[in-house]
Amino acid sequence: MGAAARWWASRVAGAAFVLWAVATLTFFAIRLIPGDPAEAILGGPGSQASDEALAAVRAEYGLDQPIAVQYVRQLGRLAVGDLGTSYSLREDVAALLGAQLPGTLLLAVLALAVAWLLALALATWSTRGGRVSAAVGSGLEVIAAALPHFWIAIVLILVFSTGLGWFPPISTPGVAGLVLPVVTLAIPLAGFLGQVMRESLLDALEAPFTVSARARGESEAGVRQVHVLRHAALPAVSLSGWAFGFLVSGAVVVETIFARPGLGRTLLNAVTLRDIPLVLGVVLVVAAAYIVVTLLTDAAQRLLDPRTRAA
């Protein structure tokens, strides 16, 4: 087996383990939430379901079995791709996720792209303008990274929706409805990526290959574009998998505030209603998307950095 085949085999095995671990932790975590799943299936505590109806539902869904039996049955269904039926919505979980996934993926991808652009622009500016710009850039990065999503969303709505009237306060179809949610997600991530990029830029500017490029007569702009930026992007590329997970977790808050359909809002409602199949489905889809993005970033890092291919 070649090195590339071994690399992919190890990644696939790791992905399978991650999906199993996520399914296991989610299954038992949702069981720790106070309440009766059978009651949730019948409409929640306000349904005033009779004992006979609760017993019938427990028998129908296998909730009267020991927790270990329920866990094994759930894993068996997941292994063949059966995500089950939502308790609260009475719809196929796979169909529900198929309808909600594109909106969340679009939001996360756009936010990642905006965060990259903001981080790159801030890191480049802060390393070019001397000590003052470096201090200002570093401060902006720390502040941006520390801001919570809900606070950013409220400020953006007050300024650009209520005050200026430029964008709608809730997410509407079209480009205008995406601007505020995307910027809300992108700002904290841009702070994290900006710190990493700035440190990498500073290291690359003093590296031997940069000194050699200047000695060959290359301009400062050419040195930065050809040599420095690619080197500085490597740590940020390796963080993009983590960044995607960060964005999806932030989407729970952003989609709720901006009333935007998506996996984050669906997950929040499912947890509230103790909808076990829907919670498991959302978490597994997010974990699978995270794994795919991580594999892509690993592959991109191998292309950008020949040292990783040699290793």
Side-chain angles (χ1 to χ4, degrees), residues 96-248:
L96 286 170
L97 299 183
Q100 301 297 329
L101 180 60
T104 299
L105 286 182
L106 176 63
L107 184 63
V109 170
L110 290 177
L112 183 59
V114 172
W116 258 85
L117 291 175
L118 291 174
L120 184 59
L122 186 58
T124 302
W125 172 77
S126 64
T127 56
R128 275 185 172 180
R131 293 181 179 178
V132 174
S133 61
V136 172
S138 177
L140 290 175
E141 291 162 358
V142 172
I143 292 173
L147 293 176
H149 288 116
F150 72 88
W151 187 87
I152 298 173
I154 292 172
V155 171
L156 291 179
I157 290 173
L158 289 175
V159 175
F160 294 102
S161 179
T162 305
L164 299 175
W166 290 356
F167 304 107
I170 61 174
S171 186
T172 57
V175 177
L178 275 170
V179 173
L180 295 186
V182 167
V183 174
T184 299
L185 272 179
I187 287 177
L189 181 58
F192 285 112
L193 294 179
Q195 294 177 58
V196 175
M197 287 185 183
R198 185 167 54 82
E199 294 299 326
S200 298
L201 276 171
L202 292 174
D203 292 340
L205 288 171
E206 303 298 330
F209 63 83
T210 306
V211 177
S212 299
R214 292 195 183 101
R216 291 194 301 268
E218 290 192 37
S219 64
E220 187 63 25
V223 169
R224 284 178 175 269
Q225 293 174 8
V226 177
H227 303 284
V228 174
L229 285 181
R230 187 175 74 167
H231 177 83
L234 287 174
V237 168
S238 65
L239 282 175
S240 293
W242 163 83
F244 182 81
F246 175 82
L247 292 173
V248 172

Side-chain angles (χ1 to χ4, degrees), residues 11-27:
R11 294 303 187 275
V12 171
F17 174 78
V18 168
L19 290 177
W20 167 79
V22 166
T24 300
L25 291 174
T26 304
F27 177 85

